[in-house]
Amino acid sequence: MKLMIASDIHGAADCCRALLDALDREGADRLLLLGDILYHGPRNDLPEDYAPKQVIGLLNARRDRLLCVRGNCDTEVDQMVLDFPILADYAWLAAGPRPIFATHGHHHNTRTPPPLGPGEILLHGHTHIPAWEPFGRDNWYLNPGSVSLPKEESPRGYMTLEGNAFRWKWLNGTPYHTLTL
């Protein structure tokens, strides 16, 4: 199974289209969205291509391939227009070499981690900065960065997980980091 992982679309329609083009190009079985799907929130500038109604249509058309967790900008009103569940605060995944705790990152992160066993992975977005850092008891913190509003000069991008390899990629599919666990 190939999993594609992305975060922080923030209502940017062109970036969402590029992400879904990447999903097709990657041939991933599922796309895991780590929250902040439709809205930009009070701390972010509007993305150039801000069009949440278009993002709704784009994602609803792919609802059968989406897995999601709730971001700090996602609300029950958003769930009313999206045809796939987005309100779970976290998900445990049995994909790849180690158990993965997937969340947005505003509650559970390396400063306030969830209860992880040795070797388990904390996967979250929220910071808009890609990451692959060891911490805790042989744990890993992984972050795909942001699809629409990257910070600290990081690329707009996503991650893939296939087998035991995590790959960080630009939205155009060009890889820039690989972590094999």
Side-chain angles (χ1 to χ4, degrees):
M1 177 177 179
K2 185 174 186 178
L3 183 64
M4 192 166 144
I5 305 159
S7 191
D8 298 283
I9 297 171
H10 288 290
D14 289 343
C15 293
C16 185
R17 277 187 203 88
L19 179 66
L20 295 176
D21 288 346
L23 178 65
D24 293 338
R25 189 175 54 246
E26 292 285 351
D29 299 290
R30 296 281 180 167
L31 170 59
L32 170 61
L33 296 174
L34 299 175
D36 287 359
I37 297 169
L38 297 178
Y39 297 109
H40 57 90
R43 294 180 297 195
N44 296 309
D45 293 330
L46 279 173
E48 287 177 22
D49 57 338
Y50 185 67
K53 288 182 181 179
Q54 290 180 34
V55 172
I56 292 166
L58 291 165
L59 294 177
N60 280 343
R62 303 294 185 99
R63 65 184 166 268
D64 61 329
R65 294 178 67 192
L66 302 179
L67 304 170
C68 301
V69 296
R70 179 183 200 158
N72 59 304
C73 295
D74 299 324
T75 69
E76 291 179 19
V77 170
D78 301 341
Q79 185 62 82
M80 293 170 69
V81 296
L82 294 169
D83 296 336
F84 50 93
I86 66 162
L87 296 178
D89 288 326
Y90 66 89
W92 276 103
L93 303 174
R98 305 174 182 207
I100 299 170
F101 184 93
T103 191
H104 181 62
H106 61 298
H107 292 300
H108 295 293
N109 49 59
T110 57
R111 283 179 282 167
T112 56
L116 296 174
E120 294 176 339
I121 295 170
L122 172 61
L123 173 65
H124 72 72
H126 185 59
T127 65
H128 298 220
I129 302 165
W132 47 87
E133 301 169 5
F135 78 103
R137 300 177 299 159
D138 192 31
N139 302 105
W140 280 90
Y141 157 52
L142 306 180
N143 188 321
S146 175
V147 171
S148 66
L149 296 167
K151 295 184 178 175
E152 295 187 8
E153 299 180 26
S154 62
R156 289 183 173 155
Y158 61 92
M159 295 167 50
T160 61
L161 169 58
E162 191 169 20
N164 62 352
F166 293 89
R167 289 184 179 82
W168 283 257
K169 298 181 179 185
W170 291 79
L171 271 180
N172 69 8
T174 303
Y176 65 90
H177 186 75
T178 299
L179 174 67
T180 304
L181 296 178

